[in-house]
Amino acid sequence: YLDLSNNFLQGEIPDSLSRLNNSLVNLNLGRNALEGALPSFIGELTYLFSLQLSELGLNSMIPTEYGKLTNLYSLDLSANLLIGSIPSTFGNLTQLESLNLGNNRLTGAIQSSIVGSLTNLKLLDLKRNNLNSTIPSQIGQLIKVKYISLENNYLTGTIPAQMSSMENMERCALYGNALTGLVPKSFSSLIKLQDLLIYDNFLQYIIPSEICKLRDVGDLN
């Protein structure tokens, strides 16, 4: 367990950490003044359960090697300057319960092959990037998700009706995109939903009467 978060560490992430590949289970370097690229050697730390590298100002693509971290249950690379697409190898991270890639400069698609594999997710945060695809229908397979944040991207197409299968969802933030069509009537089955945030899109402003059956919704925007 190595937690050096919330300090004033500078420079790049040292490759000497690779020597801990047979023992390190938790690595947290978040909220420091580190710089440079996400090092690919971290993909060799295959005992990791949790990897927190948020708010560091790192400016690179996400190494495909991170797909080797198949024991991860929490991955946080948020609030950096990461570019490129989400690696397809992330589909191997089937134990993940929390994935936070928000507040970066990621581009490309939310890949159906990744989303359909991460069925243990409880939190999916991809907000404030430059993602420019549709929301894949496979997202409905994430039936354990409680919080989903896809806001402030360039997502297009309709809201998949399959999202109504996400029966544990409490917060759904899709605002600030370019989504079209209607809110699926089947959302009325999301009885645990508390916040549905879909403003600043191109949706047809006809609220299905079925949505009014969601008694626990505190914020419908």
Side-chain angles (χ1 to χ4, degrees):
Y1 191 105
L2 181 60
D3 189 344
L4 300 175
S5 61
N6 294 286
N7 282 291
F8 297 97
L9 300 177
Q10 298 179 345
E12 298 185 349
I13 298 175
D15 58 10
S16 57
L17 288 174
S18 62
R19 300 172 187 171
L20 303 176
N21 64 318
N22 290 321
S23 57
L24 194 60
V25 297
N26 188 310
L27 176 60
N28 189 347
L29 302 178
R31 297 183 180 179
N32 278 291
L34 298 174
E35 58 187 14
L38 278 175
S40 58
F41 74 77
I42 287 181
E44 305 302 324
L45 303 177
T46 54
Y47 283 76
L48 281 177
F49 289 154
S50 178
L51 176 60
Q52 314 292 321
L53 300 177
S54 61
E55 299 183 48
L56 294 175
L58 302 176
N59 55 359
S60 69
M61 300 178 69
I62 302 174
T64 58
E65 289 84 354
Y66 286 21
K68 299 178 183 179
L69 302 174
T70 54
N71 288 310
L72 277 182
Y73 68 84
S74 178
L75 175 59
D76 188 349
L77 305 178
S78 64
N80 284 290
L81 302 170
L82 302 178
I83 60 173
S85 59
I86 301 171
S88 60
T89 54
F90 271 29
N92 299 328
L93 307 180
T94 56
Q95 301 303 313
L96 271 183
E97 295 183 4
S98 176
L99 175 60
N100 190 347
L101 303 179
N103 293 285
N104 280 291
R105 299 177 180 177
L106 299 173
T107 56
I110 301 176
Q111 300 177 45
S112 59
S113 58
I114 297 176
V115 171
S117 299
L118 304 183
T119 54
N120 283 308
L121 280 181
K122 296 180 181 178
L123 180 146
L124 175 61
D125 191 338
L126 303 178
K127 67 174 178 284
R128 297 190 181 96
N129 278 289
N130 297 313
L131 301 173
N132 56 2
S133 66
T134 58
I135 301 174
S137 60
Q138 288 81 359
I139 202 166
Q141 298 176 31
L142 306 183
I143 59 174
K144 296 181 180 180
V145 160
K146 293 184 177 181
Y147 308 104
I148 183 164
S149 294
L150 304 180
E151 68 266 25
N152 292 321
N153 279 286
Y154 296 94
L155 301 176
T156 58
T158 59
I159 299 175
Q162 290 84 351
M163 291 185 72
S164 61
S165 298
M166 302 166 73
E167 56 189 19
N168 290 297
M169 186 161 57
E170 298 177 9
R171 185 179 191 273
C172 178
L174 305 177
Y175 62 87
N177 283 290
L179 299 172
T180 56
L182 295 168
V183 179
K185 294 181 179 180
S186 53
F187 268 35
S188 61
S189 64
L190 299 174
I191 59 175
K192 296 183 180 180
L193 190 63
Q194 298 177 17
D195 298 313
L196 178 58
L197 308 174
I198 54 177
Y199 58 91
D200 286 343
N201 279 289
F202 299 103
L203 297 170
Q204 297 181 40
Y205 288 101
I206 302 174
I207 301 175
S209 59
E210 289 82 357
I211 298 297
C212 299
K213 299 177 181 177
L214 296 173
R215 298 180 179 179
D216 291 332
V217 170
D219 191 350
L220 174 60
N221 197 330

